[in-house]
């Protein structure tokens, strides 16, 4: 389970995985709405920032801001979601002519 330690208007999020995998970390409201997409990527030698490369133990700092850069005043009911082992799947085309055909 991830652990969260708050220090003023920032929070440190720590978690450990068993093996290198895809990871997504988000701050969400009580109703499940994502407030901040904090980090996403594949752990391992080429892990993207803010993840530490070649490390199964990770520590991320949340600056207390939402996705739009505004500070979150009320932290009541917020939670950290760490998702592991995600995979991409085709859902739908976004660029169509309105009738389903591509240009």
């Amino acid at each position: 389970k991830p652990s969260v330690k708050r220090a003023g208007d920032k929070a440190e999020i720590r978690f450990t995985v068993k093996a290198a995998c895809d990871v997504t970390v988000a701050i969400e409201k009580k109703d499940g709405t994502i407030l901040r997409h904090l980090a996403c990527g594949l752990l391992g030698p080429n892990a993207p920032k803010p993840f530490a490369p070649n490390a199964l133990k990770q520590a991320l700092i949340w600056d207390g801001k939402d996705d739009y850069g505004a500070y979150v005043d009320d932290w009541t009911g917020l939670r950290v979601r760490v998702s592991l082992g995600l995979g991409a799947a085709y859902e739908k085309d976004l660029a169509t002519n309105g009738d389903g055909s591509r240009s």
Side-chain angles (χ1 to χ4, degrees), residues 60-77:
L60 306 175
I61 302 296
W62 176 44
D63 59 6
K65 296 179 182 179
D66 63 16
D67 277 342
Y68 301 103
Y71 281 101
V72 177
D73 294 326
D74 184 9
W75 288 35
T76 307

Side-chain angles (χ1 to χ4, degrees), residues 6-99:
R6 186 173 176 182
D9 62 352
K10 295 184 181 185
E12 180 180 58
I13 301 158
R14 292 181 171 271
F15 63 93
T16 303
V17 296
K18 293 180 181 179
C21 61
D22 291 315
V23 177
T24 298
V25 181
I27 310 299
E28 58 185 20
K29 297 178 184 180
K30 192 181 234 180
D31 66 2
T33 305
I34 295 178
L35 186 68
R36 175 74 183 268
H37 296 84
L38 194 58
C40 186
L42 177 63
L43 297 182
N46 298 317
K49 290 185 180 184
F51 296 118
N54 291 319
L56 299 179
K57 291 183 179 182
Q58 297 288 324
L60 306 175
I61 302 296
W62 176 44
D63 59 6
K65 296 179 182 179
D66 63 16
D67 277 342
Y68 301 103
Y71 281 101
V72 177
D73 294 326
D74 184 9
W75 288 35
T76 307
L78 296 183
R79 59 186 173 194
V80 175
R81 181 177 47 153
V82 177
S83 303
L84 306 176
L86 304 173
Y90 175 80
E91 181 179 350
K92 63 182 173 183
D93 285 327
L94 295 177
T96 64
N97 293 325
D99 60 1

